[in-house]
Amino acid sequence: MKKEKNTPETEPAEETKQAKPEEKAESKEEQLQKALDEKNEQFLRLCAEYDNFRKRSQKEKQDTYAAAKADIFKDLLPVYDNFDRAASNKDGSPEDYRKGIELIFNQFAEILKKAGVESYGERGDVFDPNIHNAVMTVEDDELGENTVAEVFTKGYKLGDRIIREAVVKVANS
Protein backbone atom coordinates (compact mmCIF):
# COMPACT_ATOMS: atom_id res chain seq x y z
CA MET A 1 0.00 0.00 0.00
CA LYS A 2 0.98 3.37 -0.76
CA LYS A 3 0.98 6.01 1.83
CA GLU A 4 -0.55 9.15 0.72
CA LYS A 5 1.03 12.37 1.56
CA ASN A 6 -0.99 15.08 2.96
CA THR A 7 -1.97 17.02 0.01
CA PRO A 8 -4.16 19.99 -0.11
CA GLU A 9 -6.88 17.72 -1.43
CA THR A 10 -6.78 15.41 1.56
CA GLU A 11 -6.53 18.11 4.19
CA PRO A 12 -10.03 19.46 3.68
CA ALA A 13 -11.40 15.99 4.28
CA GLU A 14 -9.69 15.92 7.63
CA GLU A 15 -11.00 19.38 8.40
CA THR A 16 -14.45 18.15 7.53
CA LYS A 17 -14.00 15.28 9.94
CA GLN A 18 -12.93 17.71 12.61
CA ALA A 19 -15.73 20.12 11.76
CA LYS A 20 -18.39 17.48 12.24
CA PRO A 21 -17.96 17.24 16.02
CA GLU A 22 -18.12 21.04 16.18
CA GLU A 23 -21.28 20.97 14.10
CA LYS A 24 -22.70 18.39 16.46
CA ALA A 25 -21.76 20.58 19.40
CA GLU A 26 -23.31 23.58 17.71
CA SER A 27 -26.39 21.62 16.84
CA LYS A 28 -26.63 20.41 20.45
CA GLU A 29 -26.26 24.01 21.61
CA GLU A 30 -28.87 25.03 19.09
CA GLN A 31 -31.16 22.28 20.32
CA LEU A 32 -30.69 23.38 23.91
CA GLN A 33 -31.26 27.01 22.89
CA LYS A 34 -34.45 25.98 21.04
CA ALA A 35 -35.65 24.05 24.10
CA LEU A 36 -34.86 27.03 26.31
CA ASP A 37 -36.67 29.39 23.95
CA GLU A 38 -39.70 27.08 23.93
CA LYS A 39 -39.76 26.96 27.73
CA ASN A 40 -39.39 30.73 27.90
CA GLU A 41 -42.28 31.07 25.45
CA GLN A 42 -44.39 28.70 27.56
CA PHE A 43 -43.47 30.62 30.69
CA LEU A 44 -44.37 33.97 29.11
CA ARG A 45 -47.70 32.58 27.91
CA LEU A 46 -48.42 31.19 31.37
CA CYS A 47 -47.59 34.58 32.92
CA ALA A 48 -49.90 36.32 30.44
CA GLU A 49 -52.68 33.81 31.12
CA TYR A 50 -52.28 34.30 34.87
CA ASP A 51 -52.32 38.08 34.48
CA ASN A 52 -55.50 37.86 32.37
CA PHE A 53 -57.07 35.54 34.97
CA ARG A 54 -56.15 37.95 37.78
CA LYS A 55 -57.62 40.93 35.93
CA ARG A 56 -60.76 38.99 35.02
CA SER A 57 -61.21 37.83 38.63
CA GLN A 58 -60.74 41.35 39.92
CA LYS A 59 -63.33 42.69 37.46
CA GLU A 60 -65.78 39.92 38.40
CA LYS A 61 -65.27 40.77 42.07
CA GLN A 62 -65.95 44.46 41.41
CA ASP A 63 -69.01 43.59 39.31
CA THR A 64 -70.34 41.31 42.07
CA TYR A 65 -69.78 44.04 44.66
CA ALA A 66 -71.57 46.61 42.49
CA ALA A 67 -74.48 44.22 41.88
CA ALA A 68 -74.80 43.51 45.62
CA LYS A 69 -74.83 47.23 46.40
CA ALA A 70 -77.49 47.81 43.73
CA ASP A 71 -79.63 45.00 45.19
CA ILE A 72 -79.42 46.51 48.68
CA PHE A 73 -80.44 49.95 47.48
CA LYS A 74 -83.18 48.45 45.33
CA ASP A 75 -84.67 46.96 48.52
CA LEU A 76 -84.20 50.20 50.50
CA LEU A 77 -85.74 52.58 47.96
CA PRO A 78 -89.37 51.71 48.86
CA VAL A 79 -88.58 52.60 52.48
CA TYR A 80 -87.12 55.89 51.33
CA ASP A 81 -90.21 56.53 49.18
CA ASN A 82 -92.46 55.97 52.20
CA PHE A 83 -90.39 58.37 54.32
CA ASP A 84 -90.64 60.91 51.51
CA ARG A 85 -94.42 60.53 51.36
CA ALA A 86 -94.69 60.89 55.14
CA ALA A 87 -92.51 64.00 55.15
CA SER A 88 -94.47 65.64 52.35
CA ASN A 89 -97.86 65.00 54.03
CA LYS A 90 -98.35 68.31 55.82
CA ASP A 91 -102.01 67.72 56.62
CA GLY A 92 -101.58 64.42 58.52
CA SER A 93 -102.52 64.02 62.15
CA PRO A 94 -99.98 62.92 64.77
CA GLU A 95 -101.76 59.56 64.90
CA ASP A 96 -101.35 59.14 61.12
CA TYR A 97 -97.65 59.96 61.42
CA ARG A 98 -97.23 57.40 64.21
CA LYS A 99 -98.96 54.69 62.17
CA GLY A 100 -96.92 55.61 59.11
CA ILE A 101 -93.65 55.41 61.06
CA GLU A 102 -94.67 52.00 62.45
CA LEU A 103 -95.41 50.74 58.94
CA ILE A 104 -92.08 52.05 57.64
CA PHE A 105 -90.25 50.52 60.62
CA ASN A 106 -91.89 47.13 59.98
CA GLN A 107 -91.09 47.40 56.27
CA PHE A 108 -87.44 48.13 57.06
CA ALA A 109 -87.27 45.31 59.64
CA GLU A 110 -88.65 42.91 57.01
CA ILE A 111 -85.92 43.95 54.56
CA LEU A 112 -83.25 43.26 57.20
CA LYS A 113 -84.81 39.88 58.04
CA LYS A 114 -85.00 38.95 54.34
CA ALA A 115 -81.29 39.81 53.98
CA GLY A 116 -80.42 37.61 56.98
CA VAL A 117 -79.47 40.49 59.29
CA GLU A 118 -80.26 39.77 62.93
CA SER A 119 -80.24 42.17 65.85
CA TYR A 120 -78.88 41.22 69.26
CA GLY A 121 -78.22 42.81 72.59
CA GLU A 122 -81.00 42.65 75.18
CA ARG A 123 -81.08 43.46 78.86
CA GLY A 124 -80.16 40.32 80.78
CA ASP A 125 -77.88 38.85 78.08
CA VAL A 126 -74.47 37.58 79.18
CA PHE A 127 -71.81 40.14 78.30
CA ASP A 128 -69.47 38.95 75.52
CA PRO A 129 -66.63 41.35 74.65
CA ASN A 130 -66.49 39.86 71.14
CA ILE A 131 -69.95 41.13 70.26
CA HIS A 132 -70.65 43.84 72.87
CA ASN A 133 -69.00 47.19 73.43
CA ALA A 134 -69.22 48.04 77.13
CA VAL A 135 -69.21 51.78 77.70
CA MET A 136 -70.39 51.78 81.31
CA THR A 137 -70.59 49.52 84.33
CA VAL A 138 -73.05 49.49 87.18
CA GLU A 139 -73.52 47.52 90.40
CA ASP A 140 -76.94 45.84 90.33
CA ASP A 141 -78.01 43.16 92.84
CA GLU A 142 -80.87 42.01 90.59
CA LEU A 143 -78.53 41.09 87.70
CA GLY A 144 -75.76 38.52 87.76
CA GLU A 145 -72.06 38.92 87.09
CA ASN A 146 -71.16 40.27 83.60
CA THR A 147 -74.77 40.77 82.57
CA VAL A 148 -76.03 43.41 80.15
CA ALA A 149 -77.88 45.95 82.29
CA GLU A 150 -78.86 48.38 79.53
CA VAL A 151 -78.59 48.48 75.75
CA PHE A 152 -77.77 51.86 74.25
CA THR A 153 -77.45 50.63 70.65
CA LYS A 154 -78.44 47.21 69.38
CA GLY A 155 -75.88 45.08 67.64
CA TYR A 156 -76.39 43.50 64.23
CA LYS A 157 -74.89 40.43 62.62
CA LEU A 158 -75.12 38.72 59.28
CA GLY A 159 -74.64 35.02 59.88
CA ASP A 160 -71.52 34.78 62.05
CA ARG A 161 -70.18 38.14 60.93
CA ILE A 162 -70.69 41.09 63.26
CA ILE A 163 -71.88 44.14 61.34
CA ARG A 164 -72.05 46.38 64.40
CA GLU A 165 -71.34 45.63 68.06
CA ALA A 166 -74.05 46.27 70.61
CA VAL A 167 -73.23 49.26 72.84
CA VAL A 168 -74.16 48.29 76.41
CA LYS A 169 -73.91 48.99 80.11
CA VAL A 170 -72.62 45.95 82.04
CA ALA A 171 -73.64 45.00 85.54
CA ASN A 172 -71.31 43.67 88.21
CA SER A 173 -68.19 43.35 86.09
Side-chain angles (χ1 to χ4, degrees), residues 123 138-145 147 149 171-172:
R123 178 178 162 82
V138 65
E139 293 296 323
D140 191 335
D141 295 335
E142 294 177 13
L143 297 171
E145 183 93 11
T147 303
N172 307 322

Side-chain angles (χ1 to χ4, degrees), residues 130-146:
N130 296 317
I131 62 172
H132 296 103
N133 181 13
V135 293
M136 295 176 71
T137 60
V138 65
E139 293 296 323
D140 191 335
D141 295 335
E142 294 177 13
L143 297 171
E145 183 93 11
N146 284 330

Side-chain angles (χ1 to χ4, degrees), residues 45-58:
R45 286 179 192 229
L46 184 63
C47 286
E49 286 177 18
Y50 175 73
D51 192 45
N52 289 338
F53 169 76
R54 185 183 55 78
K55 288 176 183 175
R56 189 172 48 250
S57 296
Q58 188 176 26

Side-chain angles (χ1 to χ4, degrees), residues 121-132:
E122 301 290 330
R123 178 178 162 82
D125 287 352
V126 176
F127 174 73
D128 181 353
N130 296 317
I131 62 172
H132 296 103

Side-chain angles (χ1 to χ4, degrees), residues 11 16 26-27 44 48 50 52 60 63-64 69 75 85 104 109 111 139 154 163 173:
E11 286 181 15
T16 309
E26 286 178 10
S27 86
L44 290 174
Y50 175 73
N52 289 338
E60 287 173 2
D63 290 347
T64 301
K69 266 176 71 172
D75 289 342
R85 282 187 210 98
I104 294 170
I111 290 170
E139 293 296 323
K154 283 189 175 187
I163 297 171
S173 58

Side-chain angles (χ1 to χ4, degrees), residues 68-102:
K69 266 176 71 172
D71 286 345
I72 289 170
F73 287 116
K74 180 181 161 191
D75 289 342
L76 292 177
L77 285 175
V79 175
Y80 178 79
D81 292 339
N82 287 335
F83 272 123
D84 189 39
R85 282 187 210 98
S88 65
N89 184 7
K90 305 291 184 204
D91 299 329
S93 68
E95 183 62 26
D96 289 341
Y97 278 120
R98 190 184 62 73
K99 286 180 184 177
I101 294 297
E102 285 177 7

